């Protein structure tokens, strides 16, 4: 998978036009052993088919299918042009990302740049950046928080094996908007990491839209390759958003408290242990309803008029005092 780091970035480049910028990109890819010299022509040929300008002052030149055989190793090189390069149609490029790829890895790069492309006025910031670290920070965008709330906790799920439990965890992540279709299949292809106390961990960076963690437990303990499975963490990984949670989980396991998660009967107790987002407390009060159906409206009005009352009234008749139901003749 394509990843970005500061070693791939060359600052303070200059190019009179797009053709020269493409030549510089091709030379960088060749000089670093990612592609053969002819690959630079592939960059030009691809650009002739259609502009690789993304927006926000960024372009991602890459080769054509018939030049993929010239790629030695998949990789990228980023050239910063502080003065900008005219990419045609009035578009100014301040950062050109040259891609040497044997297939469609440039689509992975688009996923990495999703947050950056959502930022406003990124072009001037890329132009003014004074270091590779600053450029990388702009591309990574604002860090996203790990999603972990009640909708991502599923306790006592009906599952016959680990694959089905993983599918249930992936479904929670999908409903929360963390992953795309197909994430469950990706999880099921990875090997679970045993954490102790029957807890297991699965994670993937593929098909992730925002970082999130789901925790699911089976209604009955499962067996996987001779190991007991009583709970499964499913992580949709994106960046370092999960690091704090992972440290908290490690501390909890080292303290011998993993069984608390296995025995949990509510999402609140799981979230409290993991440091997730707790749902607000719902105030409640117990009252004995009247046994006379005709008195019920007055009883409800009395409770609604109670000082400081805000919410709804729910009630259930005790079996012994439940009034007889009315039936039409």
């Amino acid at each position: 998978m394509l990843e970005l780091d500061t070693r791939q970035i060359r600052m303070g480049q200059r190019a009179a036009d797009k053709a020269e910028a493409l030549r510089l990109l091709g030379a960088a890819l060749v000089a670093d052993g990612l592609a053969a010299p002819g690959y630079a022509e592939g960059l030009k040929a691809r650009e002739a088919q259609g502009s690789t300008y993304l927006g926000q002052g960024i372009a991602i030149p890459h080769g054509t299918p018939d030049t993929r055989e010239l790629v030695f190793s998949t990789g990228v090189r980023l050239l910063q042009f502080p003065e900008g390069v005219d990419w045609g149609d009035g578009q100014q490029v301040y950062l050109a990302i040259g891609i040497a790829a044997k297939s469609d890895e440039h689509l992975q790069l688009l996923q990495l740049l999703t947050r950056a492309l959502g930022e406003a006025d990124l072009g001037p910031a890329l132009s003014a950046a004074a270091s590779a670290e600053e450029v990388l920070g702009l591309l990574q965008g604002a860090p996203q928080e790990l999603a972990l709330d009640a909708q991502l906790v599923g306790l006592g799920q009906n599952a016959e094996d680990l694959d089905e439990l993983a599918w249930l965890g992936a479904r929670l992540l999908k409903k929360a908007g963390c992953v795309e279709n197909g994430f469950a299949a990706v999880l099921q292809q990875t090997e679970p990491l045993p954490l102790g106390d029957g807890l297991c961990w699965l994670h993937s960076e593929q098909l992730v839209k925002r970082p999130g963690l789901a925790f699911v437990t089976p209604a009955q303990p499962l067996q996987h390759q001779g190991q007991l499975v009583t709970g499964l963490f499913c992580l949709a990984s994106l960046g370092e958003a999960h690091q704090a949670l992972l440290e908290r989980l490690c501390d909890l396991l080292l303290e011998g408290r993993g069984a608390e998660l296995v025995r949990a009967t509510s999402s609140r107790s799981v979230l409290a242990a993991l440091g997730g987002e707790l749902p607000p407390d719902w105030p409640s009060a117990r009252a004995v309803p009247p046994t006379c159906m005709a008195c019920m409206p007055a009883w409800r009005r009395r409770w609604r008029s109670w000082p400081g009352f805000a919410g709804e009234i729910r009630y259930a008749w005790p079996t012994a005092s439940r009034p007889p139901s009315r039936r039409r003749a």
Side-chain angles (χ1 to χ4, degrees), residues 231-248:
L232 177 65
F233 293 97
C234 299
L235 173 67
S237 178
L238 188 63
E240 305 297 323
H242 62 281
Q243 288 300 322
L245 177 281
L246 190 57
E247 292 176 5
R248 186 182 182 103

Side-chain angles (χ1 to χ4, degrees), residues 289-297 317 321 323:
T291 57
C292 173
M293 288 293 290
C295 300
M296 183 59 70
W317 292 98
S321 60

Side-chain angles (χ1 to χ4, degrees), residues 41 90 172 215 221 260 263:
E41 294 302 316
L172 294 180
F215 177 66
E260 292 181 17
R263 296 193 301 264

Side-chain angles (χ1 to χ4, degrees), residues 267-292:
S267 60
R268 173 174 285 275
S269 58
V270 172
L271 297 173
L274 297 177
E277 182 179 346
L278 292 172
D281 288 327
W282 186 270
S284 62
R286 179 180 294 273
V288 179
T291 57
C292 173

Side-chain angles (χ1 to χ4, degrees), residues 189-264:
Q189 294 172 5
T190 62
E191 190 63 27
L193 174 67
L195 302 177
D197 292 313
L199 298 171
C200 291
W201 177 281
L202 287 174
H203 76 278
S204 178
E205 299 176 347
Q206 299 183 43
L207 303 176
V208 175
K209 296 193 290 186
R210 68 184 185 106
L213 180 72
F215 177 66
V216 287
T217 62
Q220 299 295 330
L222 305 175
Q223 290 285 333
H224 179 73
Q225 297 182 354
Q227 298 287 329
L228 188 69
V229 177
T230 56
L232 177 65
F233 293 97
C234 299
L235 173 67
S237 178
L238 188 63
E240 305 297 323
H242 62 281
Q243 288 300 322
L245 177 281
L246 190 57
E247 292 176 5
R248 186 182 182 103
L249 177 59
C250 288
D251 290 341
L252 187 145
L253 295 173
L254 289 173
E255 293 169 3
R257 298 172 54 199
E260 292 181 17
L261 299 173
V262 176
R263 296 193 301 264

Side-chain angles (χ1 to χ4, degrees), residues 151-152 157-158 164-179 183-184 187 214 216 234:
Q151 68 175 328
L152 288 168
Q157 301 291 304
N158 292 320
E164 189 171 358
L165 195 63
W167 182 85
L168 291 168
R171 186 176 66 172
L172 294 180
L173 289 166
K174 177 68 169 58
K175 287 183 176 180
C178 295
V179 300
F183 182 77
L187 273 190
V216 287
C234 299

Side-chain angles (χ1 to χ4, degrees), residues 23-219:
R23 181 184 62 78
L24 291 173
L25 278 172
L29 293 170
V30 171
D32 290 346
L34 297 176
Y39 191 71
E41 294 302 316
L43 297 180
K44 296 178 182 178
R46 172 60 185 84
E47 202 68 36
Q49 296 174 2
S51 176
T52 58
Y53 181 77
L54 283 182
Q56 299 284 24
I58 301 173
I60 55 167
H62 50 280
T64 56
D66 57 350
T67 57
R68 289 175 178 173
E69 61 184 15
L70 300 176
V71 175
F72 299 141
S73 178
T74 295
V76 295
R77 289 299 178 266
L78 295 76
L79 272 58
Q80 182 221 26
F81 297 99
E83 299 175 3
V85 178
D86 184 0
W87 220 256
D89 298 326
Q91 299 163 338
Q92 287 289 311
V93 167
Y94 300 99
L95 186 71
I97 306 176
I99 305 172
K102 296 182 178 181
S103 58
D104 292 325
E105 285 93 345
H106 65 285
L107 299 179
Q108 298 175 5
L109 184 61
L110 287 176
Q111 183 179 1
L112 291 174
L113 296 175
T114 297
R115 279 182 289 165
L117 293 175
E119 298 291 328
D121 299 327
L122 189 61
L126 288 170
S127 172
S131 67
E133 288 78 11
E134 189 174 350
V135 169
L136 187 60
L138 291 169
L139 294 180
Q140 292 174 337
Q144 290 181 284
E145 293 185 1
L146 181 76
L148 176 58
D149 54 29
Q151 68 175 328
L152 288 168
V153 178
L155 305 178
Q157 301 291 304
N158 292 320
E160 296 183 356
D161 53 33
L162 183 65
D163 282 346
E164 189 171 358
L165 195 63
W167 182 85
L168 291 168
R171 186 176 66 172
L172 294 180
L173 289 166
K174 177 68 169 58
K175 287 183 176 180
C178 295
V179 300
E180 300 176 3
N181 291 330
F183 182 77
V186 173
L187 273 190
Q188 291 168 346
Q189 294 172 5
T190 62
E191 190 63 27
L193 174 67
L195 302 177
D197 292 313
L199 298 171
C200 291
W201 177 281
L202 287 174
H203 76 278
S204 178
E205 299 176 347
Q206 299 183 43
L207 303 176
V208 175
K209 296 193 290 186
R210 68 184 185 106
L213 180 72
F215 177 66
V216 287
T217 62

